[in-house]
């Protein structure tokens, strides 16, 4: 039995994701695809647009055989820890032969070469990195530049090629995957992406990005008015038609139901709760929260009276060496109570939370039960609470935002 | 110089309050009236309908000479501690000769008699009280019954008279005031109330209750839609006409501005933040919060997934021996972080926070500065933060709810 793994967000699932799953089956001849998917909060440091159960259903209807939750501690982390956490979950399943990931252009050798440098940084590279950060550059920018400098000096790779390679968020993630895979017998398998880039907002393409799809959803919903539909004339079939150009029709159906049911969540839906959290904690400071620093903590406290909303506050706090995403991630960590130690705690106390699976993947499930090196959780009530309390908290919070009638204890595993 | 004190909420100020201030001047010949007023959260355990600065302005325009903030720890406490805290603030001013309070029917002797029993409970009364509470009665009901039993046995007072006397929330407060006044040289001065009772919702009377006035405001505003005006045709003069029947015209003007400016706050506006707080704290439990018990804490945790809104949750949790107000007060204490020890801490660390005064009350202000036995705070930035941090927190939280452009550090004292 051959099993391929994917680490992803599906926020929401679209044609590009469907294409990737098809390519995995075609290129790897995998019998099954295991998806490690972010829960209700995603790597950009914000809530997902629809909840993890609906996104699981989308994945299972479109080629995935088993969906496991990427714990919120990993799902909201920067690329390195997102990838590291995701790979650790995949490793713990004991069933995956390879990890497939999307790249702008397949250059497996270069990816592994860069990963090697990041894994065991040569002194020359480390010195450049330190110098550039000290010079006021943000960490991602400094890392790119330091890598370019290092490879230019030591390898026969053109600067343009390297620059373009490292500039892509998907390639950065690919490098982190390869880095995390170095210690285990799961093979990295890059898959050429199609369509628009990660940040693209073009929603006319058949392969629009998730960013673009979320953009289309936001035009339908008046964010200021508690997620009521802007144009009440919209009905399910109108919405379905709109989205079936961007995602598989099964998924468009699910999305249409979410939109009409008031289950869409936008980043600023966390504004009220986040303000409360910042207010409650401001006297203690925020330096203990993951990705935060003493300086950023002080900046948050200093600007608290300028807080209007989550996204406005991210924009207010961002600077030359602090990206929007870094800020949003920190604020989401504060909201979810994810602290500096939590990455290691989560690595040391692994679990496999099953969000859903296909009835037809009995053999895979059987193998999983046999080989898993971490507890498998199908029913939250039966799991050790301490182990998954951060994910339950994130889901409880999200459940209110998306007006869910269910909670982690009542929602069953998605089976199709 | 003769100075009368009043402890109050003015939520919002109405004709009954105006009448009371007039009667105080007439009946006591006081030169000045000092008002100790709840800040942004009130005794029912909910946010005030408009902010403390606007309510201060209303009071100063209608007969008050100086308004001091009743600290949130006292303002949200049950009658005993509300009265005890209020009297302690008044005492600390050093200027008040008397405390005037409204009663349904003036019976100063009976009020003081009951206060004496509560202050130094005779064994017979205590035994009845314990027995009734053990029997499942709520504390307020048990106290009323125990008082009736005690007085019936020991005094020549008709049961009907006593029953009616104790049944009134204003009389209960009067009794608590007299109890708190026993240790000091401020004299209690009951003033006959006019118009509708405390809980009345009749808004046709010239002397409608604050409850009724809030009811009228709520009919103008669509609570579900983020406090937008239901009928956008409403203009200032229409609203003014509506409310000038219920309150002095100066106050109706202020209220109309608040309504049109989106500065009205309803109890359920705290729902989102409260849910977040309950979620964050549920693993630790809530027994340390003021007025909460281990049983109530467990009940909150057990029912958390049934939480929809603040008022819905209060209704859900209330029972035969736990009144709605008890629950709302506990939830507000949880929201504001007011714990069991805070009453004593606040009594031991008093302060006089000036919200506003009349320019014409120079002599009073001069006397206050001379006689005050607690620090006078006119500028929050200059005050010891620890001393007033709970009030700042409450105001910061409220400021977001009422869409204030100001905060505690930028808002000046109201001077008219």
């Amino acid at each position: 039995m051959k099993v391929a793994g994917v680490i992803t967000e599906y926020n929401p699932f679209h044609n590009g994701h469907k294409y990737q799953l098809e390519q995995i089956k075609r290129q790897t001849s995998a019998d099954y695809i295991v998806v490690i998917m972010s829960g209700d909060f995603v790597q950009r440091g914000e809530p997902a647009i629809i909840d993890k159960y609906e996104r699981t259903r989308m994945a299972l209807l479109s080629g995935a055989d088993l969906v496991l939750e990427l714990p919120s501690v990993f799902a909201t982390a920067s690329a390195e820890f997102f990838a590291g956490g995701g790979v650790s979950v995949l490793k713990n399943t004991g069933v995956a032969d390879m990890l497939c990931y999307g790249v702008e252009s397949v250059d497996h050798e270069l990816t592994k070469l860069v990963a090697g440098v990041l894994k065991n940084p040569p002194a020359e590279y480390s010195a450049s990195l330190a110098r550039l950060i000290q010079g006021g550059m943000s960490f991602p920018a400094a890392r790119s530049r330091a890598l370019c400098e290092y490879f230019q000096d030591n390898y026969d790779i053109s600067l343009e090629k390297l620059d373009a390679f490292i500039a892509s968020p998907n390639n950065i993630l690919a490098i982190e995957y390869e880095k995390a895979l170095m210690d285990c017998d799961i093979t990295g398998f890059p898959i050429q992406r199609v369509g628009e880039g990660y940040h693209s907002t073009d929603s006319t393409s058949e392969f629009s990005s998730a960013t673009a799809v979320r953009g289309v959803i936001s035009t339908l919903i008046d964010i200021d008015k508690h997620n009521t539909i802007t144009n009440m004339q919209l009905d399910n079939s109108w919405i379905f038609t709109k989205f079936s150009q961007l995602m598989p029709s099964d998924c468009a159906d699910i999305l249409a139901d979410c939109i009409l049911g008031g289950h869409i969540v936008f980043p600023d839906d966390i504004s009220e709760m986040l303000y409360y959290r910042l207010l409650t904690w401001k006297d203690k400071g925020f330096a203990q929260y993951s990705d935060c620093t003493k300086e950023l903590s002080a900046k948050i406290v200093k600007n608290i009276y300028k807080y209007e909303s989550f996204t406005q506050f991210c924009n207010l706090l961002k600077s030359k060496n602090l990206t929007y995403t870094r800020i949003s991630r920190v604020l989401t960590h504060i909201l979810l109570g994810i602290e500096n130690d939590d990455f290691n705690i989560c690595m040391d106390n692994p679990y496999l939370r099953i969000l859903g699976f296909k009835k037809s993947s009995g053999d895979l499930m059987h193998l999983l039960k046999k080989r898993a090196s971490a507890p498998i959780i199908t029913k939250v009530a039966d799991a050790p609470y301490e182990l998954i309390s951060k994910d339950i908290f994130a889901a409880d919070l999200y459940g209110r935002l998306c007006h869910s009638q269910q909670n982690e204890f009542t929602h069953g595993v998605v089976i199709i």
Side-chain angles (χ1 to χ4, degrees), chain A:
Chain A
M1 189 194 302
K2 204 170 187 181
V3 179
V6 180
I7 300 168
T8 184
E9 301 193 325
Y10 294 158
N11 184 33
F13 196 93
H14 56 59
N15 286 337
H17 299 130
K18 168 92 172 167
Y19 171 86
Q20 191 195 41
L21 293 179
E22 284 166 355
Q23 287 301 314
I24 290 172
K25 291 247 163 145
R26 188 166 307 159
Q27 293 181 33
T28 71
S29 328
D31 301 296
Y32 294 104
I33 299 178
V34 175
V35 168
I36 317 293
M37 190 188 77
S38 303
D40 291 324
F41 287 81
V42 296
Q43 214 232 333
R44 207 177 129 79
E46 59 185 37
I49 195 152
I50 54 175
D51 86 5
K52 59 188 178 189
Y53 299 105
E54 298 304 333
R55 280 154 48 232
T56 294
R57 193 179 302 279
M58 287 178 164
L60 293 174
L61 287 167
S62 310
D65 297 290
L66 166 64
V67 180
L68 296 168
E69 180 167 357
L70 181 65
S72 53
V73 169
F74 302 147
T76 59
S78 60
E80 180 180 2
F81 301 103
F82 176 91
V87 167
S88 79
V89 174
L90 194 63
K91 217 187 297 183
N92 286 322
T93 64
V95 300
D97 301 292
M98 68 202 97
L99 167 64
C100 300
Y101 52 80
V103 285
E104 305 303 339
S105 54
V106 174
D107 192 335
H108 205 177
E109 285 318 302
L110 180 58
T111 309
K112 287 198 277 190
L113 208 57
V114 176
V117 170
L118 293 181
K119 177 91 178 168
N120 301 302
E124 194 186 334
Y125 162 78
S126 299
S128 298
L129 184 66
R131 173 177 47 79
L132 293 164
I133 287 174
Q134 197 125 44
M137 225 178 234
S138 73
F139 177 75
R143 186 177 52 185
S144 293
R145 177 77 71 85
L147 282 170
C148 285
E149 288 179 8
Y150 177 76
F151 279 98
Q152 202 178 6
D153 292 348
N154 296 280
Y155 290 82
D156 184 25
I157 303 169
S158 87
L159 189 61
E160 287 71 28
K161 185 181 167 189
L162 201 68
D163 230 5
F165 183 79
I166 293 173
S168 146
N170 281 303
N171 287 348
I172 287 288
L173 213 46
I175 293 164
E176 294 295 349
Y177 286 138
E178 287 296 346
K179 197 177 120 202
L181 288 170
M182 281 183 178
D183 287 338
C184 74
D185 51 7
I186 299 173
T187 320
F189 197 106
I191 304 266
Q192 169 81 51
R193 294 182 78 251
V194 286
E196 301 299 320
Y198 184 79
H199 291 307
S200 164
T201 54
D202 177 4
S203 65
T204 58
S205 159
E206 181 196 346
F207 292 105
S208 294
S209 71
T211 305
V213 177
R214 292 197 302 276
V216 176
I217 298 172
S218 75
T219 62
L220 299 181
I221 296 178
D222 183 344
I223 296 173
D224 282 343
K225 283 201 180 159
H226 262 191
N227 294 350
T228 47
I229 306 292
T230 306
N231 179 348
M232 291 307 287
Q233 302 309 314
L234 298 184
D235 61 12
N236 194 300
S237 73
W238 190 95
I239 298 173
F240 172 79
T241 308
K242 182 108 186 161
F243 288 101
S244 59
Q245 291 149 17
L246 302 170
M247 57 183 64
S249 62
D250 288 336
C251 299
D253 257 339
I254 292 172
L255 183 59
D257 284 347
C258 286
I259 292 173
L260 290 167
H263 302 308
I264 297 296
V265 175
F266 291 110
D268 274 342
D269 289 350
I270 65 170
S271 296
E272 198 89 351
M273 295 187 187
L274 177 62
Y275 177 71
Y276 182 80
R277 177 70 169 212
L278 296 179
L279 216 55
T280 326
W281 243 251
K282 75 176 197 303
D283 294 349
K284 300 186 194 83
F286 304 102
Q288 79 267 33
Y289 292 100
S290 185
D291 291 327
C292 198
T293 57
K294 276 191 183 164
E295 292 69 32
L296 180 50
S297 170
K299 201 173 180 185
I300 291 170
V301 174
K302 194 180 158 208
N303 286 282
I304 189 110
Y305 286 126
K306 293 181 188 151
Y307 183 101
E308 290 168 23
S309 71
F310 167 56
T311 56
Q312 168 270 347
F313 204 52
C314 291
N315 279 312
L316 181 80
L317 298 184
K318 80 175 181 193
S319 64
K320 198 161 58 85
N321 55 1
L322 277 175
T323 62
Y324 177 100
T325 307
R326 169 71 180 279
I327 310 272
S328 64
R329 208 172 272 149
V330 165
L331 293 177
T332 291
H333 287 155
I334 292 171
L335 181 78
L336 299 180
I338 294 176
E339 304 190 4
N340 287 321
D341 301 338
D342 283 322
F343 180 80
N344 289 331
I345 292 173
C346 211
M347 287 296 265
D348 293 344
N349 299 276
Y351 53 92
L352 299 167
R353 168 84 192 275
I354 296 184
L355 290 176
F357 59 86
K358 267 198 201 134
K359 277 190 202 129
S360 58
S361 55
D363 288 350
L364 173 67
M365 298 305 283
H366 187 73
L367 194 67
L368 177 73
K369 268 172 208 146
K370 221 170 85 182
R371 295 217 194 134
S373 57
I376 297 172
I377 298 170
T378 47
K379 217 175 152 188
V380 167
D382 296 340
Y385 178 75
E386 269 307 309
L387 199 62
I388 53 166
S389 63
K390 299 259 174 206
D391 290 347
I392 294 180
F393 181 77
D396 282 347
L397 198 157
Y398 190 91
R400 180 167 177 86
L401 302 180
C402 80
H403 309 115
S404 173
Q405 297 302 312
Q406 300 279 351
N407 63 61
E408 289 293 90
F409 294 92
T410 60
H411 207 303
V413 167
V414 179
I415 303 172
I416 67 159

